[in-house]
Amino acid sequence: LRVDIGERISDYVASIVDSVMAGVAGELDRSVFIGPRGIRIWKGRRPRKALRVDPKRAAAVMSALGNEHRIRILEELSSGGRYASDLQERLPKISASTLSSHLAVLEEAGLIVQEKARGRYLITIPGRLAYRMANQIAHQIEAGWE
């Protein structure tokens, strides 16, 4: 029984990772990478893999994903950069002050960045991955894993 459960969990995790990674390649050219040298446009170089993650950092990212409005903001930014006013038009159920607060949380978590010169908000590669992972996990929970 333990082997069966272990295999099911392994298959479950593998399916989530495979699903997320399948969509990443096509999105890389539209993404922004935040690395040790600041913000850069993705040019085909892979970021270094982090061997260890600070639990506080991981909790900040998960907390940023723990709000449906923030998930909607990430969804909007997945199709391209947007100004705050554009986001306000596209997400009318979120007040301007609340939107500003959500954008700050997402930016603090490293899931989005704001262009200095133009002021547009852009989703980062970690933001794309986090958004896709959250959706895949929600889908797996809704579908159940029998």
Side-chain angles (χ1 to χ4, degrees):
L1 183 63
R2 284 186 182 196
V3 172
D4 183 47
I5 291 173
E7 288 176 2
R8 289 177 66 192
I9 291 172
S10 178
D11 290 343
Y12 174 71
V13 171
S15 72
I16 291 172
V17 171
D18 289 345
S19 176
V20 168
M21 295 312 292
V24 169
E27 295 177 359
L28 289 178
D29 59 336
R30 297 183 308 198
S31 297
V32 173
F33 175 65
I34 300 175
R37 290 176 266 159
I39 299 169
R40 298 189 316 255
I41 301 298
W42 182 262
K43 295 188 182 191
R45 294 182 301 273
R46 291 189 179 265
R48 293 182 188 145
K49 290 183 182 177
L51 298 177
R52 295 209 240 161
V53 176
D54 175 16
K56 286 183 182 181
R57 181 80 180 119
V61 170
M62 298 306 287
S63 178
L65 292 171
N67 182 286
E68 71 178 275
H69 292 310
R70 292 186 204 127
I71 297 293
R72 291 179 200 277
I73 291 167
L74 290 174
E75 179 179 27
E76 286 297 324
L77 294 176
S78 290
S79 61
R82 303 241 189 272
Y83 295 100
S85 60
D86 295 334
L87 289 168
Q88 187 65 61
E89 280 182 25
R90 292 167 114 29
L91 302 166
K93 292 184 179 181
I94 305 174
S95 71
S97 62
T98 302
L99 177 63
S100 178
S101 176
H102 287 314
L103 290 169
V105 169
L106 291 168
E107 194 168 13
E108 178 71 25
L111 303 180
I112 65 171
V113 294
Q114 185 178 22
E115 290 179 319
K116 297 287 185 216
R118 297 177 63 193
R120 281 188 321 161
Y121 287 93
L122 304 166
I123 192 167
T124 62
I125 290 172
R128 287 182 186 281
L129 290 172
Y131 171 70
R132 292 179 69 78
M133 184 66 75
N135 279 320
Q136 185 61 30
I137 290 170
H139 173 73
Q140 291 291 331
I141 290 169
E142 284 178 4
W145 51 293
E146 298 176 13

